[in-house]
Amino acid sequence: MKITNFAAIIIFIALSGCAHPMVITSDIQALKPTENTTRVPKNVGLYIPPAKQDLQVTTPGGGGDRVSYHPYSDMKSGIYKMLSNVFMDVRLLNSAKVAPPNTYVIEPEITTKSWSSGVFTWMATDFTVQLTCKLSDASGNSIGVYSAEGAGHAVFDELKSDFSVAGERASQDALQKMQVILLNAPELRR
Amino acid sequence: MYRRLLLILSCLAFLFSSGCALVAPKYSASLENVDKLKAASFQSISVGKFEVVPGKENANPISLRGSSLTSPYDNSYATYLAEAIKQELSLAGKYASDAQIEISGAIRKNDIYIMGLASGVIEARFVVTRSGKINYDQIKVINDSWDSSLMGAVAIPRAQQRYPIMVQKLLALLYADAAFMDALKQ
């Protein structure tokens, strides 16, 4: 085998089929309560089904590579913080069926997209996070379905020190938008 | 011929392990830890100063195959630990900057190794005081390990993202100590 062919195979193996780990966590300290708005006078239970808790997702990155992350475990504490900015109290539920009376149950659904304008680096420069919150009462009756899309963009200089910054910004944006949507939903205050 | 191969492999090695100045992800609270604090019967707590005990295993920045990993909080891993406790207490609704009971401490070991198997260590001293009187003073340590990769472009980001999980584990160990939880009630 020619030396150049051998090198080409090594380069191909090194560059192909690889999903680079990243996170889409949000900055909890930056998720502040909305000013001049009263909280919804209800308690909520956050329920993430076991199958979703460690779900790993792979989406496109740059240079033909892919990025992989865990949307639910990455965003779980951000969702909790956002809910504590909206409702009186938040609890983590192990089952949707164990919510105390007068408590809403919230089950999040997260879908993501990523892409990159970079050809030579694997990091995603652009990200979207679609966060949907399904609310039901303690008996399981649907109260409403609310959805917010967050977008995040980053340039190479930022991605050099934080590979995940576009995803982090998208999740932050989705949570901030969801906070406003839930605070302004009159049916939640009935 | 072999010199050419060596050159190509050197270029590849450089490409996949070249040095970058990385920042650890900001702390993201463990909700299991938050629930534990929320369920405990103590009032508000403040978080004081965390110091750094200089030592061979107390790295700052942490070296990851030639890349360096710094803390996003004042370039200090001691501040990172303080912010982590503050964040979990805040989410549990039990943080007050002027509370009489205070958690402080020092970080004694702090390092990640990814040359072979990936592993990391954090050792810290935690002190609980009430109006200056020490109610608790103990050292906690976690040794963590995870899947790594030969490829720097996988191993380095994986190690970077592991740091907050290591801190979550250290705090879970601290909150599991009944003597610590009792000290917060006194």
Side-chain angles (χ1 to χ4, degrees):
Chain A
M1 185 187 290
K2 279 184 177 177
I3 201 90
T4 47
N5 291 352
F6 179 65
I9 289 168
I10 288 179
I11 291 170
F12 178 77
I13 290 168
L15 292 176
S16 64
C18 127
H20 302 273
M22 61 168 287
V23 289
I24 57 166
T25 50
S26 44
D27 182 359
I28 286 176
Q29 283 172 317
L31 286 169
K32 307 269 188 210
T34 308
E35 285 180 8
N36 304 321
T37 309
T38 55
R39 289 181 187 178
V40 176
K42 293 274 186 183
N43 297 336
V44 290
L46 171 61
Y47 176 62
I48 300 175
K52 287 181 180 172
Q53 283 182 17
D54 289 321
L55 181 73
Q56 187 170 20
V57 167
T58 302
T59 52
D65 274 9
R66 294 166 296 147
V67 290
S68 75
Y69 43 93
H70 300 82
Y72 292 92
S73 60
D74 288 351
M75 287 188 69
K76 192 164 73 167
S77 54
I79 294 170
Y80 188 98
K81 170 70 174 173
M82 179 273 292
L83 293 175
S84 66
N85 290 342
V86 173
F87 296 96
M88 301 307 283
D89 190 33
V90 189
R91 293 277 167 172
L92 197 57
L93 298 180
N94 293 323
S95 163
K97 292 175 183 165
V98 296
N102 203 31
T103 299
Y104 289 148
V105 177
I106 295 192
E107 188 178 327
E109 183 80 40
I110 302 167
T111 54
T112 55
K113 287 180 191 164
S114 66
W115 64 97
S116 176
S117 54
V119 178
F120 298 108
T121 51
W122 59 264
M123 297 82 88
T125 57
D126 292 274
F127 229 95
T128 64
V129 170
Q130 180 87 34
L131 173 64
T132 302
C133 288
K134 297 175 190 167
L135 267 78
S136 55
D137 63 20
S139 307
N141 303 310
S142 176
I143 307 287
V145 178
Y146 306 89
S147 198
E149 184 174 279
H153 172 75
V155 296
F156 178 66
D157 268 358
E158 298 169 298
L159 290 162
K160 275 194 300 187
S161 60
D162 182 355
F163 304 136
S164 307
V165 65
E168 291 164 348
R169 284 177 181 159
S171 70
Q172 188 89 8
D173 191 33
L175 289 168
Q176 279 166 339
K177 286 174 178 168
M178 181 58 77
Q179 181 169 315
V180 174
I181 289 169
L182 294 176
L183 282 169
N184 292 322
E187 62 276 17
L188 299 181
R189 296 177 184 271
R190 282 178 203 142
Chain B
M1 183 169 86
Y2 287 105
R3 282 177 61 189
R4 202 166 153 196
L5 176 62
L6 198 64
L7 181 68
I8 292 167
L9 291 177
S10 300
C11 289
L12 273 176
F14 176 78
L15 191 64
F16 292 108
S17 63
S18 57
C20 289
L22 305 174
V23 180
K26 284 190 173 173
Y27 189 67
S28 182
S30 151
L31 295 190
E32 288 72 22
N33 287 352
V34 171
D35 257 15
K36 192 148 198 173
L37 292 172
K38 209 173 208 175
S41 55
F42 58 80
Q43 302 300 311
S44 294
I45 308 290
S46 64
V47 178
K49 197 174 179 191
F50 274 72
E51 292 173 339
V52 177
V53 178
K56 193 182 161 192
E57 284 186 277
N58 207 349
N60 189 15
I62 293 169
S63 176
L64 302 174
R65 290 193 195 170
S67 293
S68 61
L69 185 70
T70 56
S71 163
Y73 303 107
D74 302 333
N75 268 342
S76 162
Y77 285 106
T79 309
Y80 194 108
L81 188 54
E83 289 296 323
I85 298 171
K86 207 183 283 182
Q87 195 182 107
E88 293 190 342
L89 283 169
S90 298
L91 279 178
K94 293 195 169 175
Y95 173 75
S97 57
D98 57 351
Q100 284 193 329
I101 299 179
E102 182 189 88
I103 303 171
S104 61
I107 194 156
R108 297 158 53 93
K109 287 182 186 173
N110 186 64
D111 214 347
I112 291 175
Y113 315 94
I114 56 167
M115 291 311 284
L117 292 170
S119 64
V121 61
I122 306 179
E123 182 180 293
R125 179 182 172 209
F126 294 96
V127 179
V128 177
T129 53
R130 185 190 178 98
S131 306
K133 183 189 162 223
I134 295 175
N135 287 342
Y136 177 91
D137 184 349
Q138 284 196 31
I139 290 164
K140 298 289 175 197
V141 58
I142 59 110
N143 287 286
D144 196 18
S145 60
W146 59 93
D147 288 338
S148 191
S149 170
L150 280 173
M151 280 186 62
V154 173
I156 293 170
R158 203 170 274 171
Q160 179 190 25
Q161 289 146 27
R162 192 71 182 188
Y163 191 77
I165 296 169
M166 288 168 57
V167 176
Q168 286 181 353
K169 288 184 174 187
L170 181 72
L171 295 184
L173 185 69
L174 178 68
Y175 304 156
D177 184 349
F180 174 76
M181 297 308 254
D182 284 345
L184 297 180
K185 293 176 195 166
Q186 291 166 21

